[in-house]
Amino acid sequence: MKFFLLAFWLVTGHNVLAQTTAPFDASTWTIVGKMEKETFQGKEGIRLTGGAIYLKDSTFMNGIIEFDMTLSRNRYFPGFGFRIQDNENFEHIYLRPHQLGNPDAIQYMPVFNRQEAWQLYYGDGYSTAVTYPLDEWVHIRLVVLGTQAEVYVGDQSKPALVIHQLKRAAKPGKISLDNGAPIVTRYANFQYTKTDNPTLLGTYKQAAPAKPGTIMSWHISNTFDEKRLDNDYTIPQDLAKQATWNTLPAENTGVVNLSQISKLREGLNTVFAKVTLLSDKPQIKKLQLGFSDRAKVYCNGRLLYSGQDVFMSRDYRFLGTIGYFDDIYLDLKKGKNELWIAVSETFGGWGIQGIIADQSGLTIE
């Protein structure tokens, strides 16, 4: 692999910083899709469509990534990945040029098992409004250290997006530039710096504590076909007997990103998330529920609720983002109660969150 070091070195304590440029050729990048070299507005770079290019250096963890790119006002999602472990597991940042100035004009999301998660992670720390000129070169700069990162767009002196907490474990990996659409995106002047002492200028927030009553751990089953639950008001016994389980903790928001342990495949698009509710008497408890994309709620084997929060299911502006939109009243018996929720996914984020605010006389396992 052939890299070219720029003619400066910086020394910070015991950390030597080397800014490295990576020419756009097959000796430096693995090319998936269509990459063509081009000079545009005086800059030598590439046109990238229908795929991605992956830097062969797999040792980037902390430091700086920067490059120039051009975007057009089309509905597409060009961007870049970093700390790439393989083609299915990485951190990802992308832009939505068709949403310039809107709260989701730029997006961070973690990718587990190749499953996107923008419906689970949105708002402060994940997406924000940004503007930039179209069909002109725009400079993009990422600074990342540990679980924090920030993205600069254009000539801004402050970060456009501050990522308070990256969701994947901090491990070294590759870098990618990507554009899966047939719409042209150009890249030029790519360079990166590996350092454990980059300067972060953003204002970082600690995660807010979980709301009282948040269910902080779920037992997650193996995947199965959503159709197995059609035309029945109880959980099929053979499906229940064949289930295998893993425990997955929730984030402070209550969100459990199911893609961390479940891979979405055709015909395998559903898991059960379950908890056991130990009640000291017969009583009714309210469950506040959030999910993406579809859910069926069973209490002691009987179906209580079925709903969907699919992309554009409410109106043409609804993104399918997860939230505590539904309340379900659980009729609990004294003793052990099984709460099973089947969560099915199409795209955009596979998740569940739940709150039982009043837990008097109740233990959740």
Side-chain angles (χ1 to χ4, degrees), residues 2 34 61 65 69 85 102 106 118 130 139 141-142 157 201 217 253 259 269 283 304 328:
K2 189 176 182 181
K34 187 177 182 181
M61 185 168 75
I65 300 169
M69 67 186 304
Q85 305 303 301
N102 289 335
I106 187 171
W118 50 270
V130 67
H139 193 66
R141 185 171 183 257
L142 169 79
S157 59
L201 300 179
S217 179
T253 58
S259 294
N269 68 332
Q283 58 180 328
L304 297 182
I328 300 155

Side-chain angles (χ1 to χ4, degrees), residues 30-200:
T30 300
I31 301 166
V32 179
K34 187 177 182 181
M35 185 187 86
E36 299 175 294
K37 292 189 177 182
E38 177 188 66
T39 298
F40 180 75
Q41 293 180 351
K43 291 187 180 182
E44 294 183 3
I46 58 168
R47 296 161 55 103
L48 181 63
T49 55
I53 59 174
Y54 298 87
L55 191 68
K56 292 183 178 180
D57 181 356
S58 60
T59 62
F60 180 86
M61 185 168 75
N62 297 319
I64 301 165
I65 300 169
E66 54 188 321
F67 52 87
D68 299 322
M69 67 186 304
T70 69
L71 303 109
S72 59
R73 190 180 292 279
N74 289 280
R75 187 177 181 275
Y76 73 132
F77 311 95
F80 63 103
F82 61 100
R83 293 180 177 170
I84 297 171
Q85 305 303 301
D86 53 47
N87 290 348
E88 298 185 343
N89 295 279
F90 52 94
E91 305 282 19
H92 195 223
I93 293 168
Y94 63 93
L95 297 105
R96 298 182 175 102
H98 56 293
Q99 297 289 359
L100 274 180
N102 289 335
D104 55 352
I106 187 171
Q107 175 79 48
Y108 156 69
M109 66 175 181
V111 178
F112 295 93
N113 289 311
R114 203 163 185 78
Q115 177 67 14
E116 297 178 341
W118 50 270
Q119 291 175 329
L120 307 184
Y121 304 107
Y122 57 92
D124 184 31
Y126 306 110
S127 59
T128 193
V130 67
T131 59
Y132 46 80
L134 298 172
D135 300 313
E136 297 181 16
W137 290 110
V138 177
H139 193 66
I140 306 294
R141 185 171 183 257
L142 169 79
V143 184
V144 56
L145 176 62
T147 61
Q148 298 176 328
E150 53 196 34
V151 185
Y152 296 78
V153 178
D155 58 0
Q156 295 176 332
S157 59
K158 296 182 179 180
L161 175 63
V162 174
I163 304 166
H164 306 301
Q165 183 183 28
L166 296 164
K167 297 301 180 181
R168 292 187 54 86
K171 296 180 180 179
K174 295 182 180 180
I175 301 168
S176 71
L177 304 175
D178 57 81
N179 172 29
I183 302 160
V184 170
T185 295
R186 300 176 180 87
Y187 293 93
N189 295 332
F190 176 88
Q191 54 195 26
Y192 65 106
T193 303
K194 291 181 283 188
T195 171
D196 291 329
N197 291 308
T199 300
L200 295 170

